[in-house]
Amino acid sequence: MLPAFFIAHGTPSLAIEQHAYTEFLQKLAKSIPRPKAIVIFSAYWESPLQKISSSIHPETIYDFLGYSEKLYNIKYPAKGDLTLSLHVQQLFQEEGIHCELDDERGMDHGAWAPLYIMYPDAQIPVVALSVNPKLTAEEHYRIGAALGSLREEDVLILGSGGTVHNLHRLDRNNPVPQLWAVEFDEWLAEQLETWNLEAIVRYDERAPYAAEAVPTPEHFAPLLLAFGAADGARRAKLLHHSFQMGALSLCCWMFGGMKKPQRFLE
């Protein structure tokens, strides 16, 4: 059984950066069994209705401006998997979660940028899923939990977003993590590691500096979705944590576990 993971996607330039976090993502992909397919929730696909990509050849979407030309030359030609898309739809419907297939949606950088680092050969089929920032934290957890059985089918469930993600508080001249950002992530880590679901779903009320760390919920939602996907196991482990520009958290959380645990590099 594969774990579910939350991965921070940082800025779009993550795909061409070289540092401890990108090295970690490369090693992470090699440390787990190669999945048959990937299901990924991206913070950059917002929809009031749960959408499931069903395109066989999803396009690479460049949903950003002002970055290096190298980024716009990247293609991530992973194929879709219609059978898996229909299976995801069925799992949602069984839990009363309204959803629909979308055969036009490509892969935004919240999906392809980390996958480009982890699986650069683009040979693993990918099904992208939308997020609805207007849902409650409990609802996000429930959506993730609906897909938990996919882990037993060697499908890798990923949530791509950010825990501390406030672009207005970034300091490009000072990489030292800001205290408020550190305190939020430390609180979050304590609750996740003890699977304190009651606290997590009320993070906006209980966490220190929640308004600063999560000014809008779309980047935090993928964490809750990946968290929920391991509801049957309820184990959480922080595999990597670092910061960029003082207030952009780069972290990776593993939820659930494998039958044969392997060594994860911190």
Side-chain angles (χ1 to χ4, degrees):
M1 178 183 293
L2 288 173
F5 293 93
F6 170 77
I7 48 178
H9 58 234
T11 67
S13 60
L14 182 74
I16 57 174
E17 293 173 359
Q18 293 184 347
H19 45 64
Y21 183 55
T22 57
E23 291 178 3
F24 161 78
L25 290 177
Q26 292 169 346
K27 293 177 181 179
L28 174 64
K30 296 177 181 178
S31 72
I32 63 175
R34 189 172 177 86
K36 292 180 179 178
I38 296 170
V39 167
I40 184 166
F41 291 94
S42 172
Y44 285 102
W45 187 7
E46 295 184 37
S47 174
L49 178 66
Q50 180 63 59
K51 296 287 189 72
I52 307 161
S53 71
S54 56
S55 172
I56 302 303
H57 298 284
E59 295 183 357
T60 304
I61 301 174
Y62 306 98
D63 49 340
F64 47 82
L65 297 172
Y67 285 87
S68 168
E69 189 65 26
K70 292 181 180 179
L71 284 173
Y72 302 96
N73 292 327
I74 291 177
K75 300 288 185 182
Y76 195 74
K79 295 181 179 180
D81 185 334
L82 181 56
T83 299
L84 178 57
S85 297
L86 291 168
H87 185 28
V88 169
Q89 182 183 43
Q90 180 184 10
L91 291 174
F92 282 149
Q93 291 174 339
E94 289 174 353
E95 294 299 321
I97 298 167
H98 298 294
C99 61
E100 68 178 20
L101 301 179
D102 187 328
D103 62 3
E104 297 182 354
R105 178 72 181 189
M107 273 194 283
D108 58 63
H109 80 274
W112 66 256
L115 292 180
Y116 179 74
I117 298 170
M118 297 174 70
Y119 300 104
D121 60 7
Q123 294 299 303
I124 302 174
V126 178
V127 171
L129 300 177
S130 67
V131 301
N132 181 357
K134 293 185 179 181
L135 295 180
T136 65
E138 292 98 328
E139 288 170 321
H140 284 126
Y141 186 89
R142 176 176 168 242
I143 290 171
L147 301 184
S149 63
L150 293 178
R151 297 173 47 232
E152 300 177 6
E153 302 171 26
D154 295 328
V155 174
L156 181 60
I157 300 174
L158 300 176
S160 174
T163 54
V164 178
H165 192 274
N166 188 333
L167 302 184
H168 297 292
R169 299 293 296 272
L170 300 184
D171 187 348
R172 299 180 184 276
N173 298 317
N174 185 4
V176 177
Q178 298 176 29
L179 181 60
W180 61 269
V182 172
E183 289 193 16
F184 176 84
D185 263 356
E186 287 181 346
W187 178 90
L188 181 63
E190 181 178 352
Q191 312 315 314
L192 291 174
E193 288 171 350
T194 58
W195 212 275
N196 189 347
L197 184 57
E198 181 183 359
I200 291 294
V201 298
R202 291 173 176 77
Y203 74 91
D204 54 338
E205 301 171 356
R206 298 190 180 186
Y209 304 105
E212 290 84 356
V214 189
T216 55
E218 77 285 344
H219 275 77
F220 196 76
L223 173 77
L224 299 167
L225 292 157
F227 187 45
D231 181 69
R234 298 204 166 194
R235 294 191 299 274
K237 183 176 181 180
L238 181 62
L239 302 182
H240 178 93
H241 190 209
S242 57
F243 279 91
Q244 284 183 322
M245 296 175 282
L248 185 62
S249 179
L250 298 179
C251 62
C252 175
W253 280 92
M254 178 175 67
F255 300 118
M258 297 181 294
K259 292 181 180 179
K260 295 181 179 180
Q262 299 185 26
R263 180 182 179 185
F264 285 83
L265 299 176
E266 300 292 340

